[in-house]
Amino acid sequence: MENSVKIVTEKLNLYYGNFQALKEVNLEVCSGKVTALIGPSGCGKSTFLRSLNRLNDLIDSVRVEGEVRIDGENIYDKSCDVVRLRKKVGMVFQKANPFPKSIYENVAYGPRIHGVRDKKVLDRIVEKSLREAALWEEVKDNLSRSALRLSGGQQQRLCIARVLAVEPEVVLMDEPTSALDPIATQKIEDLIRALKQKFTIVIVTHNMQQAARVSDITAFFLNGEIVEVGNTGLLFTQPVDQRTEDYITGKFG
Amino acid sequence: MKVKSKLRLMDGHCYISSGRTAAFLAQRLVFLVLRLAMLLVILVTFYIFYHILSNGIGVISLEFITAMPRKGMTEGGILPAILGTFYITLITALAAFPVGVFTAIFLNEYARKNMFTRLVRLSIRNLAGVPSIVYGLFGVALFVRALALGTSILSAGLTLGLLTLPVTITASEEALKSVPDSYREGALALGATQWQAIRTNVLPSAVPGIMTGLILGLSRAAGETAPILFTGAAFYLPRLPSSLSSQFMALPYHLFILSTQHHAPDKVRPIAYGTALVLLLLVAAMNMTAIMIRARFRKAAARR
Ligand SMILES: Nc1ncnc2c1ncn2[C@@H]1O[C@H](COP(=O)(O)OP(=O)(O)OP(=O)(O)O)[C@@H](O)[C@H]1O
Ligand SMILES: [Mg+2]
């Protein structure tokens, strides 16, 4: 996959009522790369991520200005089909949120709502997605088990499989490993590295080592603004902005 | 004192200061009051139940629940009243369930949280406190007269439907609220429409709560007299209702008549007790069903 620009945000402002959570955010996200968003708590990382699949629409008080273009199309345009957008831009949440259904039904949920009825096709999608999410071997013997009885790490991989099942092009991840132990975390990180060949990945993380391990590009957020964006290796070793340096060296945040 | 000796340590020395003892005494006093209050409630409930049971049990027989009343209700059974109550409760359920659930879905899932929805919600809560006779008169004005449904099973059932609506809506809303937002967001993030998310991910989790609320509402409606008084309940009707537009007899109204309006109240006293018992058992059975649904749901939730 060539590394072309997949997502562009231009002068993105987002308000919760009177509170401005994103200020003039300009960012380019390339396909085939992992982009990490770092920054102190409350700086707007989740808000930014959720503005990329318009999940912020669910909050009554939210107002958005500026543009987010995905493949050149402004997703805040009136003509944009939100259902299609969210199918194309999948999201993995901070807290694994399997539905109270079986493992199979969780993964088949997306394809089903998008109209796949054929059981054979569904079976194939479920297996493929679970394999891609590196969960197949652990659950293949009992797909009818309730997803809520999986371990936390397995639940998070299930949620990733659920997203992959609708064949998105972009996968947004909001601190996907913050509730997991080191081993489960490593599995997810391996997964992210494997998936970046096929998907454009944007990941929010509080863990600087994680950003360094999995991402190609890192953007540092502070108070709703992007302070610095750059190659992950460079940003962590030679930050340009003093605030970035203070943050990554643990002087604040 | 028992409490004290428990806290005495191995060396036999008592470490309890007098301040602690006072706190323990206060605690015991509070427990005592709480226990007495509970005892009072149980006693009253049991006394009522025992009284009705002991007086009514002898009357109940297969004939009593399957036969028509005879000789000015002094003999025979109460089948028309049982069936009448059954039919209007059915109409009530059919009316209150969709309207209540859809209103709750609208309020909780679709409506913006603004002054208007707050006002709607407040009105609904207040409706729950409106005396049932007001519902009865409203039913006369709306269903019997304006919609020309006459005094009938339909009018009475719909009137009771209105009466249970606040309970149904409130219970359904609570049930919907208890469904985690992550179920909604998860589905929407996969490209589900809002209705798809509600139908496939929210409602299944909310249904037990909704059913519980509905049944509790119905069990209250089944025992109401005032709302059916002018909307279709008949004093004495020794035949079964033939259609939705028939008048009908109903258990609570029958009981009311037998105990206060009958020309020979002493003669029909046993039948009154029997009727009260049947009504009580019916309502108890409905409440038990509600409890069972809830318990089964809890167990299912624990298993997950
Ligand atoms: N629904 C909301 N209504 C009002 N303000 C909100 C809402 N959600 C977030 N905010 C505010 O927007 C700002 C950014 O929040 P956001 O959740 O994007 O931060 P974050 O960078 O993801 O933080 P964390 O690292 O703790 O997850 C915060 O100041 C927060 O208080
Ligand atoms: Mg966040």
Side-chain angles (χ1 to χ4, degrees):
Chain A
M1 205 196 236
E2 85 287 13
N3 296 338
S4 58
V5 176
K6 184 79 178 169
I7 307 173
V8 183
T9 72
E10 208 172 287
K11 295 197 178 147
L12 183 65
N13 288 308
L14 189 145
Y15 305 82
Y16 292 109
N18 292 324
F19 175 74
Q20 184 167 11
L22 295 178
K23 296 168 194 156
E24 301 282 309
V25 176
N26 296 309
L27 185 70
E28 289 188 355
V29 175
C30 289
S31 59
K33 289 195 175 171
V34 177
T35 303
L37 310 180
I38 60 170
S41 189
C43 68
K45 305 179 299 290
S46 298
T47 303
F48 177 73
L49 206 64
R50 291 162 59 94
S51 68
L52 300 181
N53 64 348
R54 288 188 54 176
L55 215 53
N56 284 324
D57 289 13
L58 305 182
I59 302 165
D60 286 345
S61 64
V62 165
R63 205 174 79 244
V64 181
E65 293 167 354
E67 287 193 359
V68 176
R69 286 192 300 274
I70 299 182
D71 292 331
E73 185 201 356
N74 180 14
I75 63 168
Y76 284 94
D77 218 64
K78 281 209 174 59
S79 62
C80 173
D81 175 355
V82 182
V83 165
R84 233 190 61 231
L85 166 72
R86 293 191 184 138
K87 183 171 179 295
K88 180 158 137 183
V89 183
M91 181 155 202
V92 178
F93 296 83
Q94 171 169 5
K95 199 165 160 283
N97 59 344
F99 302 145
K101 304 174 189 293
S102 70
I103 295 169
Y104 184 97
E105 285 305 323
N106 263 275
V107 184
Y109 186 87
R112 269 196 215 281
I113 58 171
H114 293 297
V116 180
R117 292 272 173 278
D118 189 336
K119 179 88 172 81
K120 281 211 191 73
V121 178
L122 283 174
D123 286 351
R124 246 199 339 267
I125 295 175
V126 169
E127 176 171 350
K128 176 165 167 278
S129 310
L130 284 169
R131 277 189 195 283
E132 276 182 330
L135 188 59
W136 176 252
E137 292 303 323
E138 288 157 68
V139 299
K140 66 179 176 197
D141 297 323
N142 202 349
L143 292 176
S144 58
R145 226 173 101 196
S146 167
L148 301 181
R149 300 184 73 186
L150 295 171
S151 75
Q154 289 174 325
Q155 287 189 0
Q156 195 58 294
R157 275 178 287 151
L158 180 71
C159 292
I160 294 175
R162 195 171 70 189
V163 169
L164 300 183
V166 296
E167 301 186 323
E169 294 168 26
V170 180
V171 179
L172 310 173
M173 300 184 168
D174 194 350
E175 298 181 47
T177 62
S178 64
L180 304 182
D181 70 71
I183 293 172
T185 299
Q186 201 196 330
K187 280 192 179 154
I188 304 248
E189 287 181 10
D190 290 343
L191 186 58
I192 293 169
R193 274 189 290 268
L195 292 176
K196 81 172 182 186
Q197 311 301 328
K198 275 183 70 183
F199 307 94
T200 305
I201 297 176
V202 184
I203 179 173
V204 170
T205 176
H206 270 290
N207 181 331
M208 240 79 70
Q209 284 81 29
Q210 181 168 67
R213 282 192 301 262
V214 302
S215 74
D216 306 295
I217 307 285
T218 297
F220 172 55
F221 273 75
L222 191 63
N223 297 329
E225 290 175 283
I226 292 190
V227 172
E228 190 168 346
V229 196
N231 250 315
T232 299
L234 276 175
L235 188 123
F236 278 107
T237 50
Q238 300 161 1
V240 176
D241 197 290
Q242 184 61 41
R243 290 169 295 176
T244 315
E245 181 168 346
D246 288 350
Y247 182 70
I248 59 182
T249 53
K251 288 216 184 85
F252 74 91
Chain B
M1 252 176 20
K2 223 168 156 193
V3 180
K4 247 182 180 173
S5 62
K6 266 191 197 153
L7 283 175
R8 221 178 270 268
L9 293 188
M10 300 282 275
D11 58 5
H13 184 82
C14 182
Y15 286 90
I16 307 170
S17 69
S18 57
R20 272 315 275 280
T21 318
F24 273 122
L25 283 177
Q27 153 125 327
R28 294 191 122 204
L29 193 70
V30 170
F31 272 168
L32 192 72
V33 173
L34 294 178
R35 203 168 284 154
L36 282 178
M38 182 191 71
L39 223 62
L40 189 73
V41 172
I42 292 181
L43 270 178
V44 171
T45 314
F46 269 80
Y47 178 72
I48 295 174
F49 188 69
Y50 170 77
H51 184 77
I52 295 176
L53 188 72
S54 59
N55 286 292
I57 194 82
V59 185
I60 292 190
S61 63
L62 195 63
E63 199 214 333
F64 186 69
I65 57 172
T66 57
M68 297 289 161
R70 283 191 310 269
K71 297 192 182 156
M73 296 181 275
T74 53
E75 277 178 28
I78 55 165
L79 180 64
I82 295 176
L83 276 183
T85 289
F86 177 75
Y87 289 145
I88 51 171
T89 309
L90 204 65
I91 299 290
T92 305
L94 290 178
F97 182 70
V99 178
V101 173
F102 286 140
T103 307
I105 291 178
F106 175 76
L107 280 178
N108 197 59
E109 308 288 329
Y110 286 98
R112 284 178 160 249
K113 316 264 171 286
N114 54 22
M115 268 307 280
F116 175 71
T117 48
R118 265 203 295 281
L119 203 69
V120 170
R121 219 170 258 126
L122 192 71
S123 316
I124 292 170
R125 300 275 142 84
N126 278 324
L127 273 183
V130 171
S132 54
I133 185 72
V134 176
Y135 280 96
L137 293 170
F138 182 75
V140 173
L142 181 65
F143 301 120
V144 179
R145 297 269 170 76
L147 298 178
L149 299 174
T151 48
S152 61
I153 290 180
L154 202 55
S155 293
L158 292 176
T159 306
L160 286 176
L162 286 184
L163 178 97
T164 51
L165 221 42
V167 180
T168 317
I169 294 173
T170 309
S172 303
E173 239 199 304
E174 291 305 319
L176 289 171
K177 263 204 204 89
S178 72
V179 178
D181 267 340
S182 65
Y183 292 2
R184 299 181 179 85
E185 286 199 336
L188 292 172
L190 289 170
T193 61
Q194 208 173 347
W195 173 240
Q196 278 173 326
I198 293 170
R199 185 171 52 81
T200 58
N201 242 9
V202 177
L203 279 183
S205 302
V207 157
I210 293 176
M211 292 305 287
T212 311
L214 179 75
I215 296 175
L216 291 181
L218 287 182
S219 77
R220 181 183 158 204
E224 282 288 348
T225 313
I228 59 175
L229 199 57
F230 315 118
T231 52
F235 191 85
Y236 177 44
L237 206 65
R239 62 190 137 79
L240 300 181
S242 59
S243 76
L244 285 181
S245 51
S246 309
Q247 291 201 336
F248 58 92
M249 293 178 76
L251 288 169
Y253 187 48
H254 191 54
L255 180 59
F256 168 69
I257 288 165
L258 291 182
S259 37
T260 63
Q261 311 288 304
H262 201 267
H263 59 85
D266 291 331
K267 219 170 157 192
V268 293
R269 183 80 5 119
I271 299 186
Y273 273 115
T275 308
L277 185 57
V278 169
L279 180 58
L280 201 70
L281 291 177
L282 187 86
V283 170
M286 290 173 83
N287 288 347
M288 284 302 283
T289 315
I291 290 170
M292 259 153 56
I293 291 178
R294 204 161 29 187
R296 253 179 75 176
F297 173 63
R298 283 237 180 87
K299 244 198 257 153
R303 241 186 289 121
R304 289 201 290 246

